[in-house]
């Protein structure tokens, strides 16, 4: 900002008369303005969406998501920037990730994110599936917890909810696109990466596609879990998640800082915190340690690896 005190003395002390004093004040304001410009920080925009177990915007879990914890570590490592959180739905997410000075703390890597730069894998997710009210289990046909979703929907009797523009993998994406005009296939655009299971309670839907952690949230809040989760043949791979940033100066600077934050030790500790969301599954922990901590490639993981 320069020696503003010295400038103050140089300008004001010789000043004589009203006009001279006004000129001196104007010069001083210009000095402060120039200093403020020098100190102004660039802003990184962090795109987030509500989804267990990463981000919760409403009580009782507000602020407790593991994506929120990771974002706090990232922003702490980037004090030279201001940080703005932009909460979006899936449709807006697809627009926002094309903006400059933009990062995403947690997201899959689909074709839509490949123009961005990525960190190492930060976590994994088991395959998505379908939720049904427990009292309606007799309405669906399953085999040891697995359901043929497209066959179930072709019968036309059960109402199925999906998120508009969500990437469910090539097989299910094609099926939804070809059948979305059917009355039993219902499109949603929630301000989240998931559809509320309460729509099953109200009988607006019979089937909701989602992550297995959605049901675990009820258990962790000491509520009765009234939902049954079925794996589906159309989605059978685990998937890896990353942090992403735009390919520009702010994004690349952020990514370098994020890579330093993501130590093996930190990710091992996060793995232990994720584990409770996946019912202490030994398989989840095995795959997490291989993919996230040790950075090994596995045939049962869909995703891009660094």
């Amino acid at each position: 900002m320069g020696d503003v005190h010295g400038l103050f003395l140089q300008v004001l002390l010789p000043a004589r008369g009203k006009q001279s004093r006004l000129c001196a004040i104007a010069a001083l304001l210009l000095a402060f303005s120039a200093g403020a410009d020098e100190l102004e920080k660039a802003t990184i925009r962090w795109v987030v969406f509500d989804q267990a177990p990463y981000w919760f915007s409403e009580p009782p879990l507000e602020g407790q998501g593991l994506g929120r914890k990771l974002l706090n570590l990232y922003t702490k490592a980037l004090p030279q920037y201001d940080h703005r959180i932009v909460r979006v739905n899936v449709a807006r997410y697809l627009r926002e990730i094309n903006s400059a000075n933009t990062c995403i703390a947690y997201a899959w890597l689909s074709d839509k994110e490949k123009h961005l730069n990525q960190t190492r894998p930060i976590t994994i997710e088991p395959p998505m599936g379908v939720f049904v009210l427990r009292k309606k289990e007799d309405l669906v046909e399953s085999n040891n917890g697995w359901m043929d979703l497209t066959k179930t929907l072709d019968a036309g009797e059960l109402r199925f909810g999906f998120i508009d523009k969500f990437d469910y993998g090539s097989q299910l994406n094609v099926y939804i696109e070809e059948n979305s005009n059917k009355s039993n296939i219902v499109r949603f655009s929630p301000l989240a990466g998931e559809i509320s299971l309460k729509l099953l309670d109200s009988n607006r839907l019979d089937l909701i596609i989602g992550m297995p952690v959605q049901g675990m949230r009820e258990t962790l809040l000491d509520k009765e879990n009234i939902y049954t989760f079925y794996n589906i043949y159309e989605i059978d791979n685990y998937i890896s998640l990353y942090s992403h940033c735009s390919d520009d100066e702010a994004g690349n600077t952020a990514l370098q800082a994020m890579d330093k934050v993501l130590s093996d030790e930190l990710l091992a500790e996060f793995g232990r915190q994720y584990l409770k969301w996946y019912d202490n599954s030994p398989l989840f922990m095995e795959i997490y340690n291989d993919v996230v901590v040790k950075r090994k490639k596995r045939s049962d993981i869909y995703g891009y690896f660094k």
Side-chain angles (χ1 to χ4, degrees), residues 53-191:
Y54 311 111
W55 198 276
F56 304 101
S57 294
E58 298 178 0
L61 294 173
E62 182 179 7
Q64 298 181 42
L66 291 168
R68 170 84 256 192
K69 290 183 179 180
L70 188 58
L71 180 53
N72 289 343
L73 294 174
Y74 288 160
T75 56
K76 185 178 180 180
L78 291 159
Q80 68 271 42
Y81 289 96
D82 285 329
H83 300 277
R84 179 188 168 206
I85 293 174
V86 183
R87 185 178 170 220
V88 299
N89 62 11
V90 172
R92 186 180 169 193
Y93 166 83
L94 296 174
R95 297 193 301 270
E96 293 290 345
I97 61 175
N98 294 310
S99 302
N101 296 4
T102 297
C103 292
I104 308 108
Y106 54 93
W108 301 350
L109 176 60
S110 68
D111 289 338
K112 300 177 180 68
E113 288 89 10
K114 284 191 175 178
H115 66 288
L116 303 170
N117 291 326
Q118 292 83 33
T119 62
R120 64 190 287 182
I122 60 166
T123 190
I124 58 168
E125 282 181 0
M128 300 180 76
V130 168
F131 284 96
V132 179
L133 272 180
R134 191 158 290 167
K135 65 183 181 181
K136 289 187 175 181
E137 287 180 4
D138 59 333
L139 297 180
V140 301
E141 183 178 331
S142 65
N143 181 17
N144 293 322
W146 285 82
M147 179 193 298
D148 185 331
L149 178 60
T150 55
K151 179 182 177 181
T152 301
L153 296 179
D154 282 341
E157 298 175 357
L158 300 178
R159 293 158 296 174
F160 167 73
F162 72 96
I163 297 178
D164 187 31
K165 302 189 184 304
F166 202 97
D167 186 356
Y168 293 112
S170 57
Q171 182 180 354
L172 197 51
N173 287 344
V174 169
Y175 180 87
I176 288 173
E177 183 177 354
E178 292 178 348
N179 294 273
S180 58
N181 62 330
K182 293 183 178 179
S183 60
N184 68 314
I185 298 180
V186 186
R187 186 189 314 265
F188 288 85
S189 297
L191 191 59

Side-chain angles (χ1 to χ4, degrees), residues 20-75:
S20 297
R21 286 195 297 274
L22 289 173
C23 291
I25 292 170
L28 189 59
L29 289 174
L30 285 173
F32 275 111
S33 176
D37 288 342
E38 289 176 15
L39 294 175
E40 185 177 351
K41 297 179 180 180
T43 299
I44 294 177
R45 303 164 67 258
W46 294 91
V47 178
V48 305
F49 46 89
D50 279 25
Q51 182 178 319
Y54 311 111
W55 198 276
F56 304 101
S57 294
E58 298 178 0
L61 294 173
E62 182 179 7
Q64 298 181 42
L66 291 168
R68 170 84 256 192
K69 290 183 179 180
L70 188 58
L71 180 53
N72 289 343
L73 294 174
Y74 288 160
T75 56

Side-chain angles (χ1 to χ4, degrees), residues 184-246:
N184 68 314
I185 298 180
V186 186
R187 186 189 314 265
F188 288 85
S189 297
L191 191 59
E194 59 191 32
I195 299 173
S196 172
L197 299 183
K198 295 185 183 302
L199 294 176
L200 297 174
D201 306 10
S202 62
N203 289 320
R204 288 182 61 189
L205 295 171
D206 302 303
L207 307 170
I208 288 178
I209 190 167
M211 317 288 184
V213 293
Q214 285 182 253
M216 181 56 66
R217 174 165 40 196
E218 304 299 309
T219 301
L220 293 175
L221 292 175
D222 294 323
K223 295 181 179 180
E224 181 186 3
N225 186 357
I226 60 174
Y227 312 106
T228 298
F229 178 82
Y230 292 93
N231 293 293
I232 56 176
Y233 295 118
E234 292 80 0
I235 304 176
D236 60 359
N237 275 15
Y238 276 69
I239 194 164
S240 50
L241 277 73
Y242 306 81
S243 298
H244 310 262
C245 284
S246 52

